[in-house]
Amino acid sequence: MVYFVGAGPGAVDLITVKGARLLQEADTVIYAGSLVNPQLLHNCKSTCDIYNSASMTLEEVVALLTENTAKTIVRLHTGDPSIYGAIKEQMDLLAENGIEFEVVPGVSSFCGAAASLNAEYTLPAVSQTVILTRMAGKTPVPEKENIRSLATHQATMVLFLTSSLVTQLVDELIAGGYPKATPAAIVYKATWPDEKIFRTTVGDLATCAQENHITKTALIIVGNVLGNDYELSKLYDKNFSHEYRQATNQPKG
Ligand code: SAH
């Protein structure tokens, strides 16, 4: 059985209970060495074969995954495997070979970054939408998803895989409609012991990244949810009834 396991954003205790148990039981672990915290491997059995996939091809990874179906094999991905995890191509090859697999979710780095920023991505009257995206790099982005057009919504935007392209990013964000003064943040290695947080604005994002030498392992977060203005939520509003609570101050009529 093959398990695609989300390792979480970095801190060793942010893997799920199920993911940690599977790592302890695994006969083989193949981990994404560029971003998975290697300390997570300390609880593996002494007999466990451990491979770093950073230098491997898809075919080499799948060869290991299909090698011995009687074993418990963990394919350990950073954050949550569904976000830029390149798992579909692995799952499809396993399915073709008749090999059973299961995906175990993880805490994505965009959630880790929100926690580190004490941020709520969805604030009433500010933004009720989170756009998770990236600038095109070696992997192209479909033209209809270009940053400029996504920026027209001025929703909360979280950018993966983009910290080496911040100058272009800023041009696109501004061309799309975010005012230069829109709050922004860079979170480097969210939840790792050497995490760094930089709060800035859209207009100053590129300078901030350059001055702090941020070129990888970072998320860029943009939007007014990082500011201070918002409306209180209806959920806890004393004037508002819902399924679980009667309003204490029900307006008449
Ligand atoms: N599946 C992962 C994302 C993999 S893509 C997830 O759910 O988080 C790799 C990109 O994710 C990196 O280039 C960086 O932009 C971001 N990333 C991953 N871990 C991070 C962390 N701890 N802090 C900040 N960014 C991170």
Side-chain angles (χ1 to χ4, degrees), residues 121-132:
Y121 287 146
T122 53
L123 282 177
V126 179
S127 178
Q128 292 288 286
T129 304
V130 187
I131 297 175
L132 305 180

Side-chain angles (χ1 to χ4, degrees), residues 220-241:
I220 298 165
I221 298 113
V222 173
N224 284 320
V225 294
L226 299 179
N228 295 319
D229 297 328
Y230 65 100
E231 286 179 6
L232 296 182
S233 81
K234 299 275 183 260
L235 190 59
Y236 300 107
D237 183 343
K238 64 179 182 301
N239 297 317
F240 187 77
S241 298

Side-chain angles (χ1 to χ4, degrees), residues 30 40 46 49 62 95 116 126 149-150 162 186 189 196 227 245:
I30 308 163
L40 281 166
S46 57
D49 293 322
V62 172
S116 299
V126 179
S149 61
L150 297 178
T162 297
I186 301 175
K189 292 188 88 174
K196 288 185 190 139
R245 196 195 61 230

Side-chain angles (χ1 to χ4, degrees), residues 9 35 78-80 83-84 108-109 160-161 187 189-190 192 217-219:
L35 281 166
T78 178
D80 182 81
I83 311 280
Y84 304 114
S108 177
S109 58
F160 290 74
L161 298 158
V187 183
K189 292 188 88 174
W192 287 71
T217 331
L219 289 171

